[in-house]
Amino acid sequence: MTENHTLTVRDNRTGEEFELPITDGTVRASDFGQIGKTEDEPGLALYDPGFTNTASTRSAVTFIDGDKGILEYRGYPIEQLAEKSTFLEVAYLLIHGELPTREQHDQWVHEITFHTFVHENLKSQLQGFRYDAHPMGMLLSSVGALSTFYPEARNITDPDIRHDQIVRLIAKMPTLGAWSFRHAQGKPYVYPDNDLTYTENFLSMLFKMSEQKYNPDPRLAKALEVLFILHADHEQNCSTNAVRSVGSSQVDPYSAVSAGVAALYGPLHGGANEAVLKMLKRIGSKDKVPAFIDGVKNGDEKLMGFGHRVYKNFDPRATIIKKAVDDVFEVTGVNPLLEIAQELERIALEDDYFISRKLYPNVDFYSGLIYEALQFPPEMFTVLFAIPRTAGWLAQWLELVDDKEQKIARPKQIYTGDRRLDFVSAEERWK
Ligand code: CMC
């Protein structure tokens, strides 16, 4: 640290000055704790609901530069990974920090492939859900339930045991997700097919009926592979923070990941592509797009699938998804909603309202169209997000477990309630 990498803070209540070190563009919140601290009063704390300007960890997993539209996993640009890699190779990269050798790759794929089956009792648990149970509710409870089948998972300090649970989680998520889907349709659950790739097997468990062997169209399997790669990690978002926060209690990874699934279930996090689809259906036809855009500019509507908290130039994932749209529609036929989406994008990208506010299509603008073309009902969209994000959650969980600086997550509060009231018994109060 050089001499001028400090922040001088003057407490005007006392006139005292404090010099706080600046490291990696951050100041330690605990350093503020010495300011104004007396025997009776705690020191200064930082107030940051939603952690909008608080770094909770050091991380080497994912890099995002929102202004430049850059997303990298372990330093590799998302565009290259989406074009040249597979989801399982990307999962290896996220978890292990580097690309696998051929032997490591083959071993990894073998391990994941041969852990796709789940205990039959878990199947019974899923069958116990109501016919109309939301698949995300089924997924989050069944992932949590996995912890009871692998009690050794509680030993999070043993690297071999951690590895086994990581393999199991990445392997079994598609099985649980597909079975949640089949449950809603009243169709029998399909067991994994170990001859197929990760995404092919997922498609088989979703759509296989009476045929001996389900052979998914390789273009659809590839499109799903790309979507899985794009959704595999996104640094410290709400669900990753949930996994880290719950994981900081040193609970097993199944329980921590179920917290991530729960966070993703919320409409502010995993549900935007569903909202895009509803919006496109409501607009109805291409000629109604200008009137809809006027409504957005008047503040009556929101253009769902546009804008991002971090990306203020373009969302690199949206560019890649647009290409996948073409590939999928080549197989499924064009979704009539595509025309409306393209017209919305064309008009919005030329309009000063959207340009001046840096509003561009995000990852969700086109992903819902793909999922619908693949015959997924909207409730399944978030499940399709949770399956690949498991790799990212686990990479972040591993980092947490090995990080000597991490402690149990326990934020402070600003207490706003009453103090020292005298309790009056119910008998007295209700007289
Ligand atoms: N349509 C119309 N106006 C918008 C939109 C939109 N989609 N997004 C932002 N604005 C306007 C907003 O009204 C505000 O205008 P003004 O300055 O006149 O008040 C300005 O743009 C800045 O918006 P903001 O709400 O301060 O931006 P934010 O960073 O807080 O919100 C967002 C980001 C993603 C929540 C928001 O853009 C939005 O709600 N978009 C639609 C929902 C959506 O597509 N969400 C998916 C995000 S990608 C998923 C992921 O990465 O996990």
Side-chain angles (χ1 to χ4, degrees):
M1 197 199 325
T2 55
E3 217 176 288
N4 59 356
H5 283 178
T6 59
L7 176 76
T8 302
V9 180
R10 183 185 153 85
D11 185 343
N12 291 327
R13 297 171 301 181
T14 59
E16 254 187 299
E17 282 197 0
F18 299 84
E19 196 168 329
L20 313 182
I22 299 175
T23 314
D24 297 326
T26 61
V27 179
R28 281 191 177 259
S30 59
D31 285 346
F32 280 86
Q34 58 180 296
I35 301 174
K37 188 170 165 59
T38 65
E39 261 184 30
D40 304 321
E41 291 295 327
L44 218 54
L46 305 176
Y47 180 53
D48 187 8
F51 307 125
T52 56
N53 194 29
T54 296
S56 61
T57 186
R58 292 170 178 279
S59 180
V61 181
T62 290
F63 174 81
I64 299 177
D65 182 330
D67 290 328
K68 298 199 180 99
I70 295 173
L71 169 61
E72 293 169 359
Y73 297 158
R74 300 284 188 185
Y76 293 98
I78 191 69
E79 293 81 1
Q80 293 183 23
L81 295 172
E83 190 189 333
K84 299 179 188 157
S85 189
T86 60
F87 171 70
L88 282 189
E89 190 179 38
V90 167
Y92 184 99
L93 173 69
L94 287 167
I95 300 286
H96 293 91
E98 52 194 31
L99 289 168
T101 62
R102 183 190 293 270
E103 289 72 33
Q104 288 166 336
H105 174 268
D106 293 351
Q107 168 73 11
W108 174 248
V109 172
H110 177 83
E111 278 186 297
I112 302 281
T113 307
F114 283 84
H115 281 87
T116 47
F117 278 69
V118 298
H119 196 287
E120 281 293 295
N121 289 3
L122 199 52
K123 186 175 154 194
S124 313
Q125 187 203 320
L126 286 171
Q127 282 167 331
F129 278 91
R130 263 174 59 143
Y131 70 95
D132 58 352
H134 196 291
M136 275 299 269
M138 292 178 71
L139 185 66
L140 92 84
S141 55
S142 50
V143 175
L146 277 178
S147 71
T148 65
F149 293 89
Y150 308 107
E152 73 275 18
R154 273 177 280 169
N155 182 358
I156 62 163
T157 53
D158 184 324
D160 293 335
I161 291 181
R162 289 197 306 234
H163 174 80
D164 290 348
Q165 316 321 313
I166 286 170
V167 166
R168 285 178 175 138
L169 269 159
I170 294 175
K172 295 180 200 307
M173 282 297 273
T175 313
L176 298 176
W179 287 5
S180 307
F181 170 74
R182 301 281 292 200
H183 182 81
Q185 304 197 325
K187 290 179 182 161
Y189 300 173
V190 176
Y191 286 100
D193 180 343
N194 289 350
D195 293 337
L196 299 175
T197 67
Y198 192 77
T199 50
E200 285 172 349
N201 172 49
F202 182 48
L203 287 167
S204 164
M205 290 188 291
L206 289 164
F207 300 122
K208 184 170 184 284
M209 288 306 290
S210 60
E211 60 271 49
Q212 277 296 317
K213 187 157 185 85
Y214 183 84
N215 290 310
D217 190 302
R219 290 168 295 181
L220 296 185
K222 171 67 187 160
L224 201 55
E225 194 94 35
V226 170
L227 283 159
F228 276 10
I229 292 172
L230 297 186
H231 286 94
D233 198 51
H234 214 228
E235 52 120 303
Q236 306 310 314
N237 53 82
C238 177
S239 57
T240 301
N241 184 59
V243 170
R244 279 182 173 266
S245 184
V246 170
S248 75
S249 73
Q250 302 193 346
V251 75
D252 66 88
Y254 301 101
S255 304
V257 165
S258 73
V261 179
L264 199 64
Y265 197 174
L268 290 188
H269 193 5
N273 47 15
E274 188 180 337
V276 171
L277 215 63
K278 283 190 183 143
M279 173 190 76
L280 295 175
K281 285 184 177 159
R282 200 156 48 82
I283 296 173
S285 59
K286 194 175 154 185
D287 55 304
K288 305 228 174 69
V289 168
F292 180 83
I293 293 276
D294 286 345
V296 173
K297 286 158 69 176
N298 293 335
D300 306 332
E301 302 271 5
K302 204 167 214 187
L303 180 46
M304 297 310 290
F306 261 63
H308 199 275
R309 170 61 63 78
V310 180
Y311 297 118
K312 296 297 178 194
N313 197 343
F314 67 96
D315 181 341
R317 301 168 300 172
T319 317
I320 301 166
I321 278 203
K322 256 180 104 167
K323 164 86 179 62
V325 167
D326 297 336
D327 297 344
V328 169
F329 288 174
E330 200 181 293
V331 183
T332 61
V334 174
N335 185 332
L337 298 175
L338 176 66
E339 214 189 16
I340 304 171
Q342 285 171 331
E343 184 68 356
L344 271 174
E345 185 182 0
R346 189 186 68 74
I347 296 183
L349 291 182
E350 287 172 359
D351 192 302
D352 191 53
Y353 175 94
F354 299 93
I355 297 169
S356 63
R357 288 171 177 76
K358 301 189 174 202
L359 301 174
Y360 300 90
N362 60 47
V363 69
D364 289 317
F365 191 64
Y366 284 107
S367 63
L369 285 177
I370 298 186
Y371 294 150
E372 199 189 53
L374 293 173
Q375 295 169 30
F376 290 112
E379 308 82 68
M380 268 302 282
F381 293 1
T382 325
V383 172
L384 295 164
F385 192 158
I387 291 170
R389 183 56 59 88
T390 300
W393 289 331
L394 291 168
Q396 303 264 353
W397 172 77
L398 267 185
E399 214 175 40
L400 166 94
V401 172
D402 273 340
D403 185 346
K404 299 276 175 288
E405 274 202 309
Q406 288 295 332
K407 295 173 185 297
I408 187 166
R410 206 312 186 179
K412 273 181 169 301
Q413 65 169 7
I414 302 171
Y415 180 66
T416 59
D418 292 326
R419 296 281 322 276
R420 299 200 173 95
L421 302 178
D422 274 328
F423 180 74
V424 181
S425 70
E427 237 171 42
E428 285 294 306
R429 290 190 330 269
W430 298 341
K431 251 195 223 160

